[in-house]
Amino acid sequence: MSRHVAIVTDSTAYLPARTMERHQITAVPLTVVLGDRALEEGTEISTRSLAQALQKRRPVTTSRPGPEVFAETYRRVAESGATGIVSLHLSAELSGTYDAAVVAARQAPVPVRVVDTGMIAMALGFCALAAAETAEAGGTVDEAVTAAEKRAAGTAAYFYVDTLDYLRRGGRIGAAQALLGSALAVKPLLQLAGGRIEPLEKVRTASRAIARLEEIAAERAGGAEVDIAVHHLAAQERASALADRLRTRLPGLADLHVSEVGAVIGAHTGPGLLGVVVSAR
């Protein structure tokens, strides 16, 4: 068995499977509750099934992993040869996942540093990658944590939703409540700020909102070396077109990922979501 610092994250990081395997990153699944069925994200419910359920207005909620799930994960990772674990998770403002990991870490067989990244989706994924690359280079637990925190500090996430209704129902919009009164008349642009989903701008049409999303991402990137992720839910054509435009206008673009979000984020944003993560290297 090799001795190493291991990286654990959760299923909302939405890292490609090949990337997870290559960097030996372990993801703990969150749960989507569809009617009376609890289904693990990534293995037991597809985004297509979720989108159909949302469009039919079926009750959909999400649930964090229990501490026992994390405890079992930490045990398995330690048995694989890990001498320490860095456990990186979505914003504690949006989920109790971080709290569950903290509880489990107290009883883990090796030291575990649990980090609230304040991020979500590939904004979290890029943090996990930074930590994994540091660990692969022989870095310590503290060095891997520092790499993840530095990446988080240089990462921004912006997104467009067709409606705020799903975020309102899930209680995830925070200060975006201020937009509800005019939600039917505008297409909202949102951002991740302080670990919370906050209003950014209000735009009159979907096409203008998506164009503005592109502008904001380009302004954030500037000429720096950046990784980009374009996320969507049931909006593949929009996402691909946006990704193509960003490829042509970002001089410092390193990697660009286009992916559909999983069921947990999708349950709170609804079909039509289009998001951009800008992460400085």
Side-chain angles (χ1 to χ4, degrees), residues 191-262:
Q191 64 179 333
L192 194 62
R196 297 180 299 274
I197 296 170
E198 303 282 6
L200 181 59
E201 294 183 7
K202 295 180 284 186
V203 186
R204 285 293 176 185
T205 67
S207 60
R208 290 180 181 176
I210 294 169
R212 183 63 184 135
L213 182 66
E214 176 187 339
E215 290 293 333
I216 291 168
E219 289 167 6
R220 171 74 187 205
E225 185 179 13
V226 295
D227 293 324
I228 297 288
V230 176
H231 287 305
H232 72 95
L233 180 62
Q236 179 65 58
E237 289 186 8
R238 277 180 175 175
S240 295
L242 175 57
D244 288 344
R245 293 194 299 272
L246 288 172
R247 281 191 187 96
T248 64
R249 68 181 299 175
L250 299 184
L253 180 63
D255 287 333
L256 192 151
H257 305 262
V258 181
S259 66
E260 193 163 33
V261 297

Short mmCIF file of all heavy atoms in Angstrom, two decimals, residues 191-262:
data_model
loop_
_atom_site.label_atom_id
_atom_site.label_comp_id
_atom_site.label_asym_id
_atom_site.label_seq_id
_atom_site.Cartn_x
_atom_site.Cartn_y
_atom_site.Cartn_z
N GLN A 191 -24.94 34.90 -8.33
CA GLN A 191 -23.53 34.60 -8.11
C GLN A 191 -23.38 33.89 -6.76
O GLN A 191 -24.26 33.98 -5.90
CB GLN A 191 -22.69 35.88 -8.10
CG GLN A 191 -23.02 36.83 -6.96
CD GLN A 191 -22.15 38.07 -6.96
OE1 GLN A 191 -21.03 38.04 -7.44
NE2 GLN A 191 -22.67 39.17 -6.42
N LEU A 192 -22.26 33.21 -6.61
CA LEU A 192 -21.92 32.61 -5.33
C LEU A 192 -21.04 33.61 -4.60
O LEU A 192 -19.96 33.97 -5.08
CB LEU A 192 -21.17 31.29 -5.55
CG LEU A 192 -21.01 30.37 -4.35
CD1 LEU A 192 -22.38 29.93 -3.82
CD2 LEU A 192 -20.18 29.15 -4.73
N ALA A 193 -21.51 34.10 -3.46
CA ALA A 193 -20.78 35.13 -2.71
C ALA A 193 -20.86 34.79 -1.23
O ALA A 193 -21.95 34.62 -0.68
CB ALA A 193 -21.36 36.50 -2.97
N GLY A 194 -19.70 34.67 -0.58
CA GLY A 194 -19.69 34.32 0.83
C GLY A 194 -20.33 32.97 1.11
O GLY A 194 -20.89 32.75 2.18
N GLY A 195 -20.27 32.09 0.12
CA GLY A 195 -20.85 30.76 0.27
C GLY A 195 -22.35 30.72 0.05
O GLY A 195 -22.97 29.66 0.16
N ARG A 196 -22.95 31.86 -0.26
CA ARG A 196 -24.39 31.93 -0.45
C ARG A 196 -24.72 32.30 -1.90
O ARG A 196 -23.90 32.88 -2.61
CB ARG A 196 -25.02 32.97 0.48
CG ARG A 196 -24.85 32.66 1.95
CD ARG A 196 -25.49 33.73 2.83
NE ARG A 196 -24.88 35.04 2.63
CZ ARG A 196 -23.79 35.45 3.28
NH1 ARG A 196 -23.19 34.67 4.15
NH2 ARG A 196 -23.30 36.66 3.06
N ILE A 197 -25.95 31.99 -2.30
CA ILE A 197 -26.42 32.37 -3.62
C ILE A 197 -27.05 33.75 -3.50
O ILE A 197 -28.00 33.96 -2.74
CB ILE A 197 -27.45 31.35 -4.15
CG1 ILE A 197 -26.75 30.00 -4.34
CG2 ILE A 197 -28.05 31.83 -5.46
CD1 ILE A 197 -27.71 28.86 -4.61
N GLU A 198 -26.50 34.70 -4.25
CA GLU A 198 -26.91 36.09 -4.14
C GLU A 198 -27.30 36.64 -5.51
O GLU A 198 -26.78 36.19 -6.54
CB GLU A 198 -25.76 36.94 -3.57
CG GLU A 198 -25.23 36.48 -2.23
CD GLU A 198 -26.12 36.89 -1.07
OE1 GLU A 198 -27.21 37.45 -1.33
OE2 GLU A 198 -25.72 36.68 0.08
N PRO A 199 -28.19 37.62 -5.56
CA PRO A 199 -28.53 38.24 -6.84
C PRO A 199 -27.35 39.03 -7.39
O PRO A 199 -26.59 39.65 -6.63
CB PRO A 199 -29.70 39.17 -6.49
CG PRO A 199 -29.51 39.47 -5.03
CD PRO A 199 -28.92 38.23 -4.42
N LEU A 200 -27.20 39.02 -8.67
CA LEU A 200 -26.13 39.77 -9.33
C LEU A 200 -26.72 40.86 -10.21
O LEU A 200 -26.45 42.04 -10.04
CB LEU A 200 -25.25 38.83 -10.14
CG LEU A 200 -24.06 39.46 -10.88
CD1 LEU A 200 -23.13 40.14 -9.89
CD2 LEU A 200 -23.32 38.40 -11.69
N GLU A 201 -27.56 40.46 -11.17
CA GLU A 201 -28.20 41.42 -12.07
C GLU A 201 -29.56 40.90 -12.48
O GLU A 201 -29.83 39.70 -12.39
CB GLU A 201 -27.34 41.66 -13.32
CG GLU A 201 -26.01 42.35 -13.06
CD GLU A 201 -25.23 42.62 -14.34
OE1 GLU A 201 -25.79 42.39 -15.44
OE2 GLU A 201 -24.07 43.03 -14.24
N LYS A 202 -30.40 41.80 -12.96
CA LYS A 202 -31.69 41.42 -13.53
C LYS A 202 -31.69 41.85 -15.00
O LYS A 202 -31.41 43.01 -15.30
CB LYS A 202 -32.84 42.09 -12.77
CG LYS A 202 -32.97 41.62 -11.34
CD LYS A 202 -34.12 42.30 -10.61
CE LYS A 202 -33.77 43.73 -10.23
NZ LYS A 202 -34.82 44.35 -9.39
N VAL A 203 -31.99 40.91 -15.88
CA VAL A 203 -31.97 41.17 -17.32
C VAL A 203 -33.33 40.79 -17.88
O VAL A 203 -33.97 39.84 -17.42
CB VAL A 203 -30.84 40.38 -18.01
CG1 VAL A 203 -30.72 40.78 -19.46
CG2 VAL A 203 -29.50 40.63 -17.29
N ARG A 204 -33.76 41.53 -18.91
CA ARG A 204 -35.13 41.38 -19.38
C ARG A 204 -35.42 40.12 -20.19
O ARG A 204 -36.53 39.62 -20.15
CB ARG A 204 -35.52 42.60 -20.22
CG ARG A 204 -35.80 43.83 -19.38
CD ARG A 204 -37.04 43.64 -18.53
NE ARG A 204 -37.29 44.77 -17.64
CZ ARG A 204 -38.25 44.80 -16.73
NH1 ARG A 204 -39.04 43.76 -16.58
NH2 ARG A 204 -38.41 45.85 -15.95
N THR A 205 -34.44 39.60 -20.93
CA THR A 205 -34.72 38.42 -21.75
C THR A 205 -33.64 37.37 -21.52
O THR A 205 -32.53 37.67 -21.05
CB THR A 205 -34.73 38.77 -23.25
OG1 THR A 205 -33.42 39.16 -23.66
CG2 THR A 205 -35.72 39.89 -23.55
N ALA A 206 -33.97 36.12 -21.87
CA ALA A 206 -33.01 35.04 -21.70
C ALA A 206 -31.77 35.26 -22.55
O ALA A 206 -30.64 35.05 -22.08
CB ALA A 206 -33.67 33.71 -22.07
N SER A 207 -31.94 35.69 -23.79
CA SER A 207 -30.77 35.87 -24.67
C SER A 207 -29.85 36.96 -24.14
O SER A 207 -28.62 36.81 -24.16
CB SER A 207 -31.23 36.21 -26.09
OG SER A 207 -31.99 37.41 -26.11
N ARG A 208 -30.43 38.05 -23.63
CA ARG A 208 -29.59 39.11 -23.05
C ARG A 208 -28.91 38.64 -21.77
O ARG A 208 -27.76 39.01 -21.50
CB ARG A 208 -30.45 40.34 -22.77
CG ARG A 208 -30.91 41.07 -24.03
CD ARG A 208 -31.76 42.27 -23.68
NE ARG A 208 -32.24 42.96 -24.87
CZ ARG A 208 -33.05 44.00 -24.84
NH1 ARG A 208 -33.48 44.48 -23.68
NH2 ARG A 208 -33.45 44.57 -25.97
N ALA A 209 -29.61 37.84 -20.99
CA ALA A 209 -29.03 37.34 -19.75
C ALA A 209 -27.83 36.43 -20.03
O ALA A 209 -26.79 36.52 -19.36
CB ALA A 209 -30.08 36.58 -18.94
N ILE A 210 -27.95 35.57 -21.03
CA ILE A 210 -26.85 34.67 -21.37
C ILE A 210 -25.68 35.45 -21.94
O ILE A 210 -24.51 35.16 -21.64
CB ILE A 210 -27.35 33.57 -22.33
CG1 ILE A 210 -28.36 32.68 -21.59
CG2 ILE A 210 -26.19 32.74 -22.86
CD1 ILE A 210 -29.12 31.74 -22.49
N ALA A 211 -25.95 36.45 -22.75
CA ALA A 211 -24.88 37.30 -23.28
C ALA A 211 -24.17 38.03 -22.14
O ALA A 211 -22.94 38.17 -22.14
CB ALA A 211 -25.45 38.31 -24.28
N ARG A 212 -24.94 38.48 -21.17
CA ARG A 212 -24.36 39.17 -20.03
C ARG A 212 -23.54 38.20 -19.17
O ARG A 212 -22.48 38.58 -18.65
CB ARG A 212 -25.47 39.82 -19.20
CG ARG A 212 -24.95 40.62 -18.02
CD ARG A 212 -24.09 41.79 -18.45
NE ARG A 212 -23.53 42.48 -17.28
CZ ARG A 212 -22.27 42.87 -17.18
NH1 ARG A 212 -21.41 42.67 -18.17
NH2 ARG A 212 -21.85 43.47 -16.10
N LEU A 213 -24.00 36.96 -19.04
CA LEU A 213 -23.26 35.94 -18.30
C LEU A 213 -21.88 35.74 -18.94
O LEU A 213 -20.87 35.65 -18.24
CB LEU A 213 -24.04 34.63 -18.31
CG LEU A 213 -23.45 33.45 -17.55
CD1 LEU A 213 -23.41 33.73 -16.05
CD2 LEU A 213 -24.27 32.18 -17.83
N GLU A 214 -21.85 35.71 -20.25
CA GLU A 214 -20.58 35.59 -20.98
C GLU A 214 -19.68 36.79 -20.69
O GLU A 214 -18.47 36.62 -20.44
CB GLU A 214 -20.86 35.47 -22.47
CG GLU A 214 -19.62 35.42 -23.34
CD GLU A 214 -19.95 35.47 -24.82
OE1 GLU A 214 -21.08 35.15 -25.20
OE2 GLU A 214 -19.04 35.84 -25.61
N GLU A 215 -20.23 37.98 -20.73
CA GLU A 215 -19.45 39.18 -20.48
C GLU A 215 -18.85 39.19 -19.07
O GLU A 215 -17.68 39.53 -18.87
CB GLU A 215 -20.32 40.44 -20.66
CG GLU A 215 -20.72 40.72 -22.10
CD GLU A 215 -19.53 41.11 -22.96
OE1 GLU A 215 -18.54 41.65 -22.41
OE2 GLU A 215 -19.57 40.87 -24.17
N ILE A 216 -19.66 38.81 -18.11
CA ILE A 216 -19.20 38.80 -16.72
C ILE A 216 -18.06 37.80 -16.55
O ILE A 216 -17.05 38.09 -15.88
CB ILE A 216 -20.37 38.45 -15.78
CG1 ILE A 216 -21.39 39.61 -15.76
CG2 ILE A 216 -19.87 38.15 -14.37
CD1 ILE A 216 -22.70 39.26 -15.11
N ALA A 217 -18.20 36.62 -17.15
CA ALA A 217 -17.14 35.61 -17.05
C ALA A 217 -15.86 36.10 -17.71
O ALA A 217 -14.75 35.91 -17.17
CB ALA A 217 -17.61 34.31 -17.70
N ALA A 218 -15.98 36.74 -18.87
CA ALA A 218 -14.80 37.25 -19.57
C ALA A 218 -14.13 38.36 -18.77
O ALA A 218 -12.89 38.44 -18.69
CB ALA A 218 -15.19 37.76 -20.95
N GLU A 219 -14.93 39.23 -18.16
CA GLU A 219 -14.37 40.31 -17.34
C GLU A 219 -13.63 39.75 -16.14
O GLU A 219 -12.55 40.22 -15.77
CB GLU A 219 -15.50 41.25 -16.87
CG GLU A 219 -16.08 42.09 -18.00
CD GLU A 219 -17.39 42.76 -17.59
OE1 GLU A 219 -17.77 42.64 -16.40
OE2 GLU A 219 -18.03 43.39 -18.45
N ARG A 220 -14.20 38.72 -15.52
CA ARG A 220 -13.56 38.10 -14.37
C ARG A 220 -12.24 37.44 -14.77
O ARG A 220 -11.23 37.55 -14.05
CB ARG A 220 -14.50 37.06 -13.76
CG ARG A 220 -13.87 36.18 -12.68
CD ARG A 220 -13.66 36.92 -11.38
NE ARG A 220 -12.91 36.12 -10.42
CZ ARG A 220 -12.97 36.27 -9.10
NH1 ARG A 220 -13.74 37.21 -8.59
NH2 ARG A 220 -12.25 35.52 -8.29
N ALA A 221 -12.22 36.76 -15.90
CA ALA A 221 -11.02 36.06 -16.35
C ALA A 221 -9.92 37.03 -16.76
O ALA A 221 -8.74 36.82 -16.46
CB ALA A 221 -11.36 35.13 -17.52
N GLY A 222 -10.29 38.10 -17.44
CA GLY A 222 -9.29 39.04 -17.94
C GLY A 222 -8.27 38.32 -18.81
O GLY A 222 -8.62 37.46 -19.62
N GLY A 223 -7.01 38.63 -18.62
CA GLY A 223 -5.96 37.95 -19.38
C GLY A 223 -5.24 36.90 -18.58
O GLY A 223 -4.21 36.36 -19.03
N ALA A 224 -5.75 36.56 -17.38
CA ALA A 224 -5.08 35.60 -16.51
C ALA A 224 -5.24 34.18 -17.02
O ALA A 224 -6.14 33.88 -17.82
CB ALA A 224 -5.65 35.71 -15.10
N GLU A 225 -4.37 33.29 -16.54
CA GLU A 225 -4.52 31.87 -16.87
C GLU A 225 -5.63 31.31 -16.01
O GLU A 225 -5.57 31.33 -14.77
CB GLU A 225 -3.21 31.12 -16.60
CG GLU A 225 -3.28 29.65 -17.03
CD GLU A 225 -1.98 28.91 -16.80
OE1 GLU A 225 -1.11 29.45 -16.09
OE2 GLU A 225 -1.83 27.80 -17.32
N VAL A 226 -6.67 30.81 -16.65
CA VAL A 226 -7.85 30.35 -15.93
C VAL A 226 -8.34 29.01 -16.46
O VAL A 226 -8.12 28.66 -17.62
CB VAL A 226 -9.01 31.37 -16.02
CG1 VAL A 226 -8.67 32.68 -15.34
CG2 VAL A 226 -9.42 31.60 -17.48
N ASP A 227 -9.02 28.30 -15.57
CA ASP A 227 -9.81 27.14 -15.96
C ASP A 227 -11.27 27.59 -15.92
O ASP A 227 -11.67 28.38 -15.06
CB ASP A 227 -9.61 25.97 -15.00
CG ASP A 227 -8.20 25.41 -15.07
OD1 ASP A 227 -7.63 25.37 -16.17
OD2 ASP A 227 -7.67 25.00 -14.01
N ILE A 228 -12.05 27.05 -16.86
CA ILE A 228 -13.46 27.42 -16.97
C ILE A 228 -14.31 26.15 -16.93
O ILE A 228 -13.94 25.13 -17.52
CB ILE A 228 -13.75 28.17 -18.29
CG1 ILE A 228 -12.98 29.49 -18.35
CG2 ILE A 228 -15.25 28.40 -18.47
CD1 ILE A 228 -13.50 30.57 -17.42
N ALA A 229 -15.43 26.23 -16.25
CA ALA A 229 -16.44 25.17 -16.33
C ALA A 229 -17.76 25.81 -16.72
O ALA A 229 -18.14 26.84 -16.15
CB ALA A 229 -16.58 24.45 -14.99
N VAL A 230 -18.42 25.24 -17.70
CA VAL A 230 -19.76 25.67 -18.08
C VAL A 230 -20.72 24.55 -17.69
O VAL A 230 -20.59 23.42 -18.15
CB VAL A 230 -19.86 25.96 -19.59
CG1 VAL A 230 -21.30 26.31 -19.98
CG2 VAL A 230 -18.90 27.08 -19.99
N HIS A 231 -21.64 24.87 -16.82
CA HIS A 231 -22.62 23.90 -16.33
C HIS A 231 -23.99 24.20 -16.91
O HIS A 231 -24.32 25.35 -17.23
CB HIS A 231 -22.72 23.97 -14.81
CG HIS A 231 -21.55 23.40 -14.07
ND1 HIS A 231 -21.09 22.12 -14.26
CD2 HIS A 231 -20.75 23.95 -13.11
CE1 HIS A 231 -20.06 21.89 -13.46
NE2 HIS A 231 -19.83 22.99 -12.76
N HIS A 232 -24.81 23.18 -16.98
CA HIS A 232 -26.19 23.38 -17.43
C HIS A 232 -27.08 22.29 -16.86
O HIS A 232 -26.60 21.27 -16.33
CB HIS A 232 -26.27 23.37 -18.96
CG HIS A 232 -26.09 22.00 -19.56
ND1 HIS A 232 -27.15 21.19 -19.88
CD2 HIS A 232 -24.97 21.30 -19.88
CE1 HIS A 232 -26.71 20.05 -20.39
NE2 HIS A 232 -25.38 20.09 -20.39
N LEU A 233 -28.38 22.48 -16.97
CA LEU A 233 -29.35 21.42 -16.71
C LEU A 233 -30.38 21.47 -17.82
O LEU A 233 -31.09 22.48 -17.98
CB LEU A 233 -30.04 21.58 -15.36
CG LEU A 233 -31.08 20.49 -15.04
CD1 LEU A 233 -30.42 19.11 -14.98
CD2 LEU A 233 -31.82 20.77 -13.73
N ALA A 234 -30.40 20.40 -18.63
CA ALA A 234 -31.32 20.30 -19.76
C ALA A 234 -31.18 21.49 -20.71
O ALA A 234 -32.17 22.00 -21.24
CB ALA A 234 -32.77 20.17 -19.26
N ALA A 235 -29.94 21.95 -20.92
CA ALA A 235 -29.68 23.08 -21.80
C ALA A 235 -28.34 22.89 -22.51
O ALA A 235 -27.50 23.78 -22.54
CB ALA A 235 -29.70 24.39 -21.02
N GLN A 236 -28.15 21.71 -23.10
CA GLN A 236 -26.87 21.36 -23.71
C GLN A 236 -26.48 22.31 -24.84
O GLN A 236 -25.33 22.72 -24.93
CB GLN A 236 -26.93 19.93 -24.26
CG GLN A 236 -25.64 19.46 -24.95
CD GLN A 236 -24.47 19.37 -24.00
OE1 GLN A 236 -24.53 18.65 -23.01
NE2 GLN A 236 -23.39 20.08 -24.27
N GLU A 237 -27.41 22.67 -25.71
CA GLU A 237 -27.08 23.54 -26.83
C GLU A 237 -26.62 24.91 -26.35
O GLU A 237 -25.63 25.46 -26.85
CB GLU A 237 -28.28 23.68 -27.77
CG GLU A 237 -28.57 22.40 -28.56
CD GLU A 237 -29.65 22.62 -29.59
OE1 GLU A 237 -30.07 23.79 -29.79
OE2 GLU A 237 -30.09 21.63 -30.21
N ARG A 238 -27.32 25.47 -25.38
CA ARG A 238 -26.92 26.76 -24.82
C ARG A 238 -25.52 26.68 -24.21
O ARG A 238 -24.69 27.57 -24.39
CB ARG A 238 -27.89 27.17 -23.71
CG ARG A 238 -29.18 27.85 -24.16
CD ARG A 238 -29.99 28.15 -22.92
NE ARG A 238 -31.20 28.91 -23.24
CZ ARG A 238 -32.12 29.21 -22.33
NH1 ARG A 238 -31.96 28.84 -21.07
NH2 ARG A 238 -33.19 29.89 -22.67
N ALA A 239 -25.27 25.60 -23.48
CA ALA A 239 -23.98 25.46 -22.81
C ALA A 239 -22.84 25.30 -23.81
O ALA A 239 -21.78 25.92 -23.66
CB ALA A 239 -24.01 24.26 -21.86
N SER A 240 -23.06 24.50 -24.84
CA SER A 240 -22.01 24.29 -25.84
C SER A 240 -21.71 25.58 -26.59
O SER A 240 -20.54 25.89 -26.86
CB SER A 240 -22.45 23.19 -26.82
OG SER A 240 -22.57 21.95 -26.15
N ALA A 241 -22.75 26.32 -26.93
CA ALA A 241 -22.55 27.58 -27.64
C ALA A 241 -21.80 28.59 -26.77
O ALA A 241 -20.89 29.29 -27.25
CB ALA A 241 -23.90 28.16 -28.08
N LEU A 242 -22.14 28.66 -25.50
CA LEU A 242 -21.45 29.58 -24.59
C LEU A 242 -19.98 29.16 -24.44
O LEU A 242 -19.08 30.02 -24.47
CB LEU A 242 -22.14 29.58 -23.23
CG LEU A 242 -21.48 30.40 -22.13
CD1 LEU A 242 -21.32 31.86 -22.54
CD2 LEU A 242 -22.27 30.30 -20.82
N ALA A 243 -19.73 27.88 -24.32
CA ALA A 243 -18.36 27.40 -24.19
C ALA A 243 -17.54 27.75 -25.43
O ALA A 243 -16.38 28.17 -25.32
CB ALA A 243 -18.36 25.90 -23.96
N ASP A 244 -18.13 27.60 -26.60
CA ASP A 244 -17.42 27.93 -27.84
C ASP A 244 -17.05 29.40 -27.88
O ASP A 244 -15.94 29.77 -28.31
CB ASP A 244 -18.28 27.57 -29.05
CG ASP A 244 -18.38 26.07 -29.28
OD1 ASP A 244 -17.56 25.32 -28.70
OD2 ASP A 244 -19.30 25.64 -30.00
N ARG A 245 -17.96 30.26 -27.45
CA ARG A 245 -17.67 31.69 -27.46
C ARG A 245 -16.57 32.04 -26.46
O ARG A 245 -15.70 32.87 -26.74
CB ARG A 245 -18.94 32.49 -27.17
CG ARG A 245 -20.00 32.38 -28.27
CD ARG A 245 -21.09 33.42 -28.10
NE ARG A 245 -21.81 33.31 -26.85
CZ ARG A 245 -22.89 32.55 -26.66
NH1 ARG A 245 -23.34 31.78 -27.65
NH2 ARG A 245 -23.50 32.52 -25.49
N LEU A 246 -16.58 31.40 -25.30
CA LEU A 246 -15.55 31.68 -24.29
C LEU A 246 -14.18 31.20 -24.77
O LEU A 246 -13.17 31.84 -24.49
CB LEU A 246 -15.92 31.01 -22.96
CG LEU A 246 -17.10 31.64 -22.20
CD1 LEU A 246 -17.50 30.79 -21.02
CD2 LEU A 246 -16.74 33.06 -21.75
N ARG A 247 -14.14 30.11 -25.51
CA ARG A 247 -12.86 29.62 -26.04
C ARG A 247 -12.20 30.66 -26.93
O ARG A 247 -10.99 30.80 -26.94
CB ARG A 247 -13.09 28.33 -26.85
CG ARG A 247 -13.26 27.08 -26.02
CD ARG A 247 -13.22 25.83 -26.90
NE ARG A 247 -13.56 24.64 -26.13
CZ ARG A 247 -14.76 24.11 -26.07
NH1 ARG A 247 -15.76 24.66 -26.76
NH2 ARG A 247 -14.98 23.03 -25.34
N THR A 248 -13.00 31.39 -27.68
CA THR A 248 -12.44 32.33 -28.64
C THR A 248 -12.03 33.65 -28.01
O THR A 248 -11.22 34.38 -28.58
CB THR A 248 -13.44 32.63 -29.78
OG1 THR A 248 -14.60 33.27 -29.23
CG2 THR A 248 -13.87 31.33 -30.47
N ARG A 249 -12.56 33.97 -26.82
CA ARG A 249 -12.32 35.30 -26.28
C ARG A 249 -11.46 35.34 -25.02
O ARG A 249 -11.15 36.43 -24.54
CB ARG A 249 -13.63 36.03 -26.04
CG ARG A 249 -14.51 35.47 -24.95
CD ARG A 249 -15.80 36.29 -24.83
NE ARG A 249 -15.55 37.69 -24.50
CZ ARG A 249 -16.49 38.62 -24.45
NH1 ARG A 249 -17.75 38.30 -24.72
NH2 ARG A 249 -16.21 39.87 -24.11
N LEU A 250 -11.07 34.18 -24.48
CA LEU A 250 -10.27 34.18 -23.26
C LEU A 250 -8.82 33.82 -23.60
O LEU A 250 -8.50 32.65 -23.83
CB LEU A 250 -10.83 33.18 -22.24
CG LEU A 250 -12.26 33.45 -21.75
CD1 LEU A 250 -12.64 32.45 -20.67
CD2 LEU A 250 -12.41 34.88 -21.24
N PRO A 251 -7.92 34.79 -23.62
CA PRO A 251 -6.54 34.52 -24.03
C PRO A 251 -5.78 33.61 -23.07
O PRO A 251 -4.85 32.92 -23.46
CB PRO A 251 -5.90 35.91 -24.07
CG PRO A 251 -6.74 36.75 -23.16
CD PRO A 251 -8.14 36.21 -23.30
N GLY A 252 -6.19 33.59 -21.81
CA GLY A 252 -5.48 32.79 -20.83
C GLY A 252 -6.15 31.46 -20.52
O GLY A 252 -5.80 30.81 -19.52
N LEU A 253 -7.07 31.03 -21.36
CA LEU A 253 -7.82 29.80 -21.08
C LEU A 253 -6.89 28.59 -21.07
O LEU A 253 -6.16 28.33 -22.02
CB LEU A 253 -8.92 29.61 -22.13
CG LEU A 253 -9.79 28.37 -21.95
CD1 LEU A 253 -10.55 28.42 -20.63
CD2 LEU A 253 -10.77 28.23 -23.13
N ALA A 254 -6.95 27.83 -19.97
CA ALA A 254 -6.16 26.60 -19.86
C ALA A 254 -7.06 25.40 -20.16
O ALA A 254 -6.98 24.81 -21.23
CB ALA A 254 -5.55 26.48 -18.47
N ASP A 255 -7.93 25.04 -19.23
CA ASP A 255 -8.87 23.94 -19.44
C ASP A 255 -10.30 24.47 -19.44
O ASP A 255 -10.62 25.42 -18.72
CB ASP A 255 -8.74 22.88 -18.35
CG ASP A 255 -7.47 22.05 -18.50
OD1 ASP A 255 -6.98 21.93 -19.65
OD2 ASP A 255 -6.98 21.55 -17.47
N LEU A 256 -11.15 23.84 -20.24
CA LEU A 256 -12.57 24.19 -20.26
C LEU A 256 -13.39 22.92 -20.17
O LEU A 256 -13.20 22.00 -20.97
CB LEU A 256 -12.92 24.99 -21.52
CG LEU A 256 -14.31 25.64 -21.51
CD1 LEU A 256 -14.33 26.90 -22.36
CD2 LEU A 256 -15.40 24.69 -22.01
N HIS A 257 -14.27 22.87 -19.19
CA HIS A 257 -15.13 21.71 -18.97
C HIS A 257 -16.58 22.12 -19.24
O HIS A 257 -17.02 23.18 -18.80
CB HIS A 257 -15.03 21.21 -17.53
CG HIS A 257 -13.64 20.90 -17.08
ND1 HIS A 257 -13.13 19.62 -17.08
CD2 HIS A 257 -12.64 21.69 -16.62
CE1 HIS A 257 -11.88 19.64 -16.64
NE2 HIS A 257 -11.57 20.88 -16.35
N VAL A 258 -17.31 21.29 -19.95
CA VAL A 258 -18.74 21.50 -20.15
C VAL A 258 -19.45 20.27 -19.59
O VAL A 258 -19.15 19.14 -19.98
CB VAL A 258 -19.10 21.66 -21.64
CG1 VAL A 258 -20.61 21.90 -21.80
CG2 VAL A 258 -18.32 22.81 -22.26
N SER A 259 -20.36 20.49 -18.65
CA SER A 259 -21.04 19.34 -18.06
C SER A 259 -22.42 19.72 -17.54
O SER A 259 -22.67 20.88 -17.18
CB SER A 259 -20.21 18.75 -16.91
OG SER A 259 -20.10 19.67 -15.85
N GLU A 260 -23.27 18.73 -17.50
CA GLU A 260 -24.59 18.89 -16.89
C GLU A 260 -24.44 18.72 -15.39
O GLU A 260 -23.73 17.82 -14.93
CB GLU A 260 -25.57 17.87 -17.45
CG GLU A 260 -27.01 18.16 -17.13
CD GLU A 260 -27.97 17.37 -18.02
OE1 GLU A 260 -27.62 16.23 -18.40
OE2 GLU A 260 -29.05 17.89 -18.34
N VAL A 261 -25.08 19.58 -14.62
CA VAL A 261 -25.02 19.44 -13.17
C VAL A 261 -25.75 18.18 -12.76
O VAL A 261 -26.59 17.65 -13.48
CB VAL A 261 -25.62 20.66 -12.43
CG1 VAL A 261 -24.84 21.92 -12.74
CG2 VAL A 261 -27.10 20.82 -12.74
N GLY A 262 -25.44 17.71 -11.57
CA GLY A 262 -26.13 16.55 -11.04
C GLY A 262 -27.47 16.90 -10.44
O GLY A 262 -27.91 18.06 -10.43
#
